[in-house]
Amino acid sequence: MRAPYGLFRSVLAGVLLAGAAVVSAGCAAEEKPTLVVLGPWTDGEEKPFKATLARIGERTGRQYVYEGTRSLRETLVAQLRTDAPPDVAILNGTGELAEYALDGDAEPLPPDVESEAFGPWAPRFPVTDNDGDTDVHAYWVPVRVDLKSIVWSKAGEDQAGAEEAVWCLGMASGATSGWPGTDWIEDLLLQRHGYEVYEKWATGNQAWDRGPVKEAWQEWAAVLATDDRANGLTSLTRHFESLGANRYGLLNGKDCTREHQGSFIRRHYGPDVTPAPTSDFVAGLPADRNVFEVSGDMAAVFKPSDAAWELLLELTSPRAQADWVEAADPGERPYFPSGAAGITGTTRTSAPTGASAAVLHMFNNADQICFDASDAMPSTLRGAFQRAVLQFLEKPQDAVALDDLLGQLEAERMLQRRAGAFVLDDLCEEPPGGVPGG
């Protein structure tokens, strides 16, 4: 039996309306394409950030896809070579980011976004374009920061001079293995000689093979000499945070009692593990220096669009920071460089306690904070520094081997200076007025 003509016309109209809706949805998708964000967080650490992106998407009506990798540099370089960069990339090396800016890959921040470029994480520097015009801009914004220059220890352990103390050492970290050792050298230099010498070295104006830098290596060798000689060798294959078999946090093992590591490591520890300044644990360091090394995760735009700039503004807003803190477990709540009010004024969570509160106190009461020196260096020197740490740990008491290593690093510094690769200047500043989070 044939359907009545009126019914057929109604069905046809419905089909046409549905088709129009699909076409309309397709147009809407074209107007608001999905943005790709490349970043460093994997293995569950990315979950709070992805939740934050989802909340931002609810406000902006956009879709964001997060791609996490532990091989950021290799991944981003491959994407740039194939002309398929992410819209936004989040990296921890300002030296590497500066190279992308000089090559024209990372875009200068518009004025409204540049206001979120807090120092020392996001310095302004000159870049000359193909027409020979030079402008000074910031090229990235910090979205999360961490404090270094701290030592974690188990409750009840004596501080400097404890004979039974054993340092936790883990250098393995894939393509960037060795970076926990570069942190040791940087921090000892900063604590011993102050931020002016530290900044001079980090910006390529201080020799590696003599003076304060060589003394920092020698001082680390002296620290290592208080431990079992096998500790350094074992560290070459030990992951910086993993004990294996889904166990994390080197202090949770039975082999060591102190760990020199950034504030992010607190996510693996309970209330029986506490942070304190490095000078409390390394005998002979000035106790009143009150300077701290910091690191950060910085977001830069590689595929410019209004949507990409909008995302950077969202990621640095108190609202997104509150979402990020709320989505994270207490031990994984991030710190931020903004000068906003304390955590209770910008988030829906309670004020930080325990280790997080201790870290925030050190952050906000520091006389100077200095960005991670190796992360600010040209990428080839940064890589050479990391590899040198691994070679050093094979025989840290060998003075001749150390001289050879430092001679190679000094040659690389001079090569990079002649190439004009050191473009960042201001790596040390007073705290920006508050580091809410935690």
Side-chain angles (χ1 to χ4, degrees):
M1 181 173 132
R2 298 179 61 186
Y5 176 75
L7 178 60
F8 173 81
R9 183 169 60 181
S10 298
V11 172
L12 178 60
V15 170
L16 292 174
L17 285 172
V22 170
V23 172
S24 176
C27 292
E30 291 177 0
E31 292 172 3
K32 289 193 174 184
T34 297
L35 269 71
V36 176
V37 181
L38 180 69
W41 306 298
T42 63
D43 302 324
E45 192 182 357
E46 78 282 4
K47 291 180 180 178
F49 181 70
K50 292 175 70 174
T52 303
L53 286 178
R55 294 294 295 271
I56 292 174
E58 292 172 4
R59 295 192 287 270
T60 63
R62 302 185 188 279
Q63 295 290 324
Y64 305 102
V65 171
Y66 174 74
E67 297 178 353
T69 175
R70 293 294 187 184
S71 302
L72 264 176
R73 176 173 175 78
E74 294 78 7
T75 300
L76 183 55
V77 167
Q79 292 176 345
L80 289 170
R81 284 175 179 169
T82 58
D83 198 28
D87 296 274
V88 173
I90 300 174
L91 300 100
N92 58 20
T94 57
E96 182 182 349
L97 281 162
E99 292 172 5
Y100 294 131
L102 292 170
D103 290 341
D105 295 319
E107 295 290 324
L109 304 180
D112 58 332
V113 183
E114 196 167 31
S115 63
E116 302 300 324
F118 289 100
W121 294 277
R124 290 154 179 78
F125 58 96
V127 172
T128 302
D129 62 22
N130 293 331
D131 297 325
D133 298 325
T134 300
D135 289 311
V136 177
H137 288 289
Y139 285 77
W140 55 84
V141 295
V143 295
R144 193 183 81 163
V145 300
D146 275 297
L147 185 73
K148 298 192 174 183
S149 300
I150 52 179
V151 169
W152 299 83
S153 64
K154 295 180 179 179
E157 187 206 336
D158 293 333
Q159 295 187 337
E163 294 181 0
E164 72 280 5
V166 177
W167 288 100
C168 301
L169 288 177
M171 297 294 138
S173 183
T176 59
S177 292
W179 69 259
T182 67
D183 283 356
W184 260 109
I185 301 298
E186 293 157 7
D187 195 17
L188 289 172
L189 179 69
L190 178 62
Q191 302 305 321
R192 174 67 67 193
H193 297 282
Y195 72 89
E196 294 96 340
V197 172
Y198 176 94
E199 189 172 61
K200 185 178 178 182
W201 169 60
T203 56
N205 297 302
Q206 179 78 42
W208 286 73
D209 56 353
R210 57 191 178 277
V213 180
K214 182 176 181 178
E215 291 170 14
W217 287 82
Q218 292 171 328
E219 187 156 17
W220 192 29
V223 171
L224 294 172
T226 65
D227 281 355
D228 186 324
R229 290 184 179 180
N231 200 6
L233 285 173
T234 303
S235 74
L236 299 178
T237 54
R238 181 188 292 129
H239 193 269
F240 72 93
E241 66 176 340
S242 174
L243 292 166
N246 296 318
R247 296 178 63 224
Y248 296 93
L250 299 185
L251 274 172
N252 290 323
K254 298 180 180 180
D255 299 330
C256 58
T257 58
R258 298 175 178 176
E259 181 177 17
H260 182 274
Q261 189 53 274
S263 56
F264 73 90
I265 205 68
R266 73 194 190 281
R267 68 177 180 263
H268 298 315
Y269 298 136
D272 61 325
V273 175
T274 57
T278 304
S279 57
D280 286 357
F281 288 88
V282 177
L285 290 179
D288 58 350
R289 186 74 72 184
N290 201 29
V291 292
F292 290 88
E293 185 180 12
V294 299
S295 62
D297 296 296
M298 283 71 64
V301 168
F302 286 79
K303 190 182 295 183
S305 66
D306 290 343
W309 300 125
E310 175 189 55
L311 178 57
L312 261 60
L313 284 174
E314 284 285 344
L315 287 173
T316 55
S317 69
R319 183 165 48 182
Q321 292 171 353
D323 291 338
W324 198 343
V325 168
E326 188 172 277
D329 292 334
E332 298 181 358
R333 290 171 181 166
Y335 302 116
F336 309 108
S338 65
I343 185 170
T344 55
T346 58
T347 74
R348 294 179 289 276
T349 63
S350 58
T353 59
S356 291
V359 170
L360 284 172
H361 176 78
M362 287 184 273
F363 241 133
N364 292 322
N365 290 279
D367 292 331
Q368 290 279 327
I369 54 175
C370 296
F371 190 78
D372 185 299
S374 58
D375 286 348
M377 293 174 184
S379 57
T380 53
L381 182 55
R382 179 193 193 189
F385 189 7
Q386 292 167 352
R387 291 189 296 274
V389 162
L390 302 179
Q391 291 178 263
F392 169 78
L393 286 171
E394 293 179 0
K395 40 187 175 181
Q397 311 307 322
D398 189 328
V400 174
L402 176 60
D403 285 342
D404 182 55
L405 282 176
L406 296 184
Q408 295 176 42
L409 290 169
E410 174 62 7
E412 182 63 30
R413 176 187 77 94
M414 294 301 296
L415 180 64
Q416 295 302 316
R417 274 181 60 84
R418 287 193 293 270
F422 289 96
V423 297
L424 304 178
D425 291 320
D426 300 323
L427 302 186
C428 297
E429 296 188 16
E430 295 180 4
V435 187

